[in-house]
Amino acid sequence: MKREDFKMEDKRIILTTDYANSSINIDFSDNLTDEGERGYILSASFLSYAISEGLSKDEIVEMISNGYDQFTSENN
């Protein structure tokens, strides 16, 4: 398929915080159902923000490395 064959649609991700439960809630628009696309958009957003804040590549890698176990543990 060619790029022009795809219908371009605006998509939306809304993040809200829930401090009482120590969580971040994510709401995706109805047309954003592909997990790969969701992950790509969230990853790109994180990297773009981190870079705009002046973090170096090493600092970003360290941040991900240090937080990885916290987000993948059975307690979360």
Side-chain angles (χ1 to χ4, degrees):
M1 294 187 102
K2 298 177 186 174
R3 181 177 172 85
E4 56 268 11
D5 293 335
F6 292 100
K7 180 180 177 190
M8 301 298 285
E9 296 180 285
D10 290 333
K11 297 177 182 185
R12 180 186 74 252
I13 298 173
I14 298 173
L15 301 173
T16 56
T17 56
D18 183 346
Y19 289 107
N21 293 312
S22 299
S23 65
I24 297 174
N25 304 305
I26 304 174
D27 180 39
F28 299 97
S29 58
D30 292 340
N31 62 347
L32 187 50
T33 58
D34 180 86
E35 292 294 325
E37 188 176 21
R38 287 178 176 187
Y40 175 81
I41 292 169
L42 291 170
S43 298
S45 298
F46 165 74
L47 289 174
S48 177
Y49 175 76
I51 292 166
S52 73
E53 290 296 304
L55 274 70
S56 69
K57 181 178 178 181
D58 290 336
E59 290 171 318
I60 294 169
V61 168
E62 182 179 342
M63 183 183 355
I64 293 169
S65 180
N66 289 341
Y68 187 83
D69 291 336
Q70 176 186 354
F71 287 102
T72 59
S73 71
E74 292 182 21
N75 295 329
N76 291 320

